[in-house]
């Protein structure tokens, strides 16, 4: 990856206005004009699931998010509902609305926090190291037309480790103005990129321009399973992806952080040829 690129990072992704989240320029996605990036839809769902009231301390260990439609860059309402609350686990439904239109729905499994001593296997392979703190270096988005226009790719740092086949991401701005990002929010924002990791690796190797049939893919959902809190700011994804000939694909990733393995993410992927791609993507 070559070229210089200066992220435009003024403000947070959202500001709170009563019970509404108002998107800022950094929430903009590449797929449809005037709509949010998938990461900007996942992260508020994770925030709401984590903040849902409970009489005991709980951790979000599984979050599944369905993108019903691209959320507009307009004031959004996020609501949570207790589906079941038990002593050890509870289930929370989350929904994101633009006016009365459902855009995103989520389901969270939360477990009661416990203080345990566990044995890690001695033969576990060492995890790939995260980048050092500080600037992430040259961005993979630097060469894209319109990359200087504020959008979600300005809100993250990206480091591509070709040798380890891991791409590291760091959410570099607050999700909500005046709030510090939690680990759950940061992981959710990064997990949306699960299906994109192979493309970023090919780009870093310089082999993404090889002759072949061009396809465009976008995830319709994301599931995150995490067994402990995030350590540090970086989240690493090592993805395995498969594409079928009937227009569907799957992608799944091992998640890492500074302390080692963190969990998994998985996605169902909509695959289309160039003629089926949104206009904004065709122009990239």
């Amino acid at each position: 990856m070559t070229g210089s690129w200066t992220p435009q990072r003024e403000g947070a992704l959202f500001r709170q206005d009563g019970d509404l989240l108002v998107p800022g320029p950094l929430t903009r996605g590449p797929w449809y004009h005037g709509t949010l990036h998938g990461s900007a839809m996942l992260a508020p769902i994770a925030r709401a699931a984590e903040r849902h009231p409970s009489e005991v301390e709980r951790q979000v260990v599984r979050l599944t998010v369905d993108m019903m439609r691209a959320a507009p860059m307009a004031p959004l309402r996020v609501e949570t509902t207790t589906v079941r609350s038990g002593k050890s686990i509870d289930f929370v439904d989350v929904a994101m609305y633009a006016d009365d239109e459902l855009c995103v729905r989520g389901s969270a499994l939360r477990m009661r926090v416990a203080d345990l001593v566990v044995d890690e296997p001695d033969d576990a392979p060492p995890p790939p190291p995260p980048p050092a703190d500080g600037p992430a270096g040259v961005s993979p988005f630097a060469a894209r037309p319109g990359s200087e226009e504020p959008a979600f790719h300005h809100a993250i740092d990206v480091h591509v480790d070709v040798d380890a086949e891991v791409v590291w991401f760091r959410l570099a701005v607050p999700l909500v103005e005046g709030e510090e990002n939690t680990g759950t929010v940061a992981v959710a924002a990064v997990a949306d990129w699960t299906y994109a990791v192979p493309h970023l690796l090919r780009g870093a190797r310089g082999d993404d321009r090889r002759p072949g049939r061009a396809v465009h893919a976008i995830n319709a959902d994301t599931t995150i399973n995490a067994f402990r809190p995030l350590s540090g700011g970086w989240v690493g994804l090592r993805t395995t992806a498969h594409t079928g000939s009937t227009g569907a694909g799957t992608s799944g990733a091992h998640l890492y952080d500074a302390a080692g393995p963190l969990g998994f993410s998985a996605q169902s992927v909509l695959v289309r040829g160039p003629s089926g791609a949104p206009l904004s993507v065709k122009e990239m």
Side-chain angles (χ1 to χ4, degrees):
M1 297 176 291
T2 60
S4 60
W5 186 74
T6 303
Q8 306 298 316
R9 288 181 173 165
E10 293 186 5
L13 292 175
F14 297 89
R15 64 177 176 86
Q16 188 90 43
D17 183 9
D19 62 348
L20 299 176
L21 290 177
V22 181
L26 294 177
T27 62
R28 185 173 64 86
W31 286 95
Y32 303 98
H33 293 298
T35 61
L36 270 58
H37 191 282
S39 292
M41 291 188 278
L42 261 72
I45 297 293
R47 172 180 178 264
E50 187 173 45
R51 292 161 66 100
H52 186 71
S54 172
E55 294 182 357
V56 298
E57 184 180 1
R58 299 184 189 270
Q59 55 188 329
V60 178
V61 299
R62 193 267 300 155
L63 179 68
T64 296
V65 179
D66 295 317
M67 262 93 72
M68 316 293 287
R69 54 178 52 82
M73 293 183 67
L76 301 166
R77 187 176 78 258
V78 182
E79 299 180 350
T80 59
T81 306
T82 300
V83 178
R84 178 187 180 274
S85 181
K87 179 179 179 181
S88 297
I89 63 173
D90 72 1
F91 297 88
V92 178
D93 280 351
V94 189
M96 174 185 286
Y97 296 90
D99 291 327
D100 292 327
E101 185 174 56
L102 177 63
C103 298
V104 187
R105 69 179 183 186
S107 172
L109 165 62
R110 307 191 306 178
M111 293 184 179
R112 185 170 184 161
V113 173
D115 186 11
L116 303 174
V117 177
V118 296
D119 293 325
E120 292 290 341
D122 295 334
D123 58 350
D133 289 337
V138 177
S139 169
F141 310 108
R144 291 187 176 183
S147 64
E148 287 301 323
E149 184 179 357
F152 185 78
H153 61 269
H154 289 263
I156 54 172
D157 292 323
V158 183
H159 175 82
V160 181
D161 187 336
V162 174
D163 294 333
E165 296 190 327
V166 173
V167 179
W168 293 90
F169 300 85
R170 177 173 61 182
L171 183 58
V173 302
L175 173 65
V176 177
E177 188 177 70
E179 293 183 10
E180 184 176 348
N181 294 331
T182 67
T184 300
V185 164
V187 172
V190 168
D192 181 69
W193 293 80
T194 298
Y195 78 96
V197 165
H199 174 71
L200 295 176
L201 288 170
R202 287 193 299 269
R205 296 188 187 103
D207 60 1
D208 61 341
R209 295 179 177 85
R210 293 179 301 177
R213 296 180 179 178
V215 296
H216 295 281
I218 185 171
N219 60 303
D221 67 0
T222 300
T223 294
I224 304 161
N225 289 96
F227 61 88
R228 60 172 176 79
L230 178 68
S231 175
W234 289 96
V235 182
L237 277 69
R238 177 183 281 152
T239 294
T240 300
H242 301 281
T243 302
S245 59
T246 59
T250 60
S251 61
H254 289 261
L255 305 179
Y256 300 94
D257 65 8
L262 177 65
F264 304 92
S265 60
Q267 295 175 330
S268 303
V269 179
L270 175 69
V271 182
R272 291 293 181 264
S275 62
L279 181 60
S280 57
V281 172
K282 295 177 188 178
E283 293 173 342
M284 293 178 64

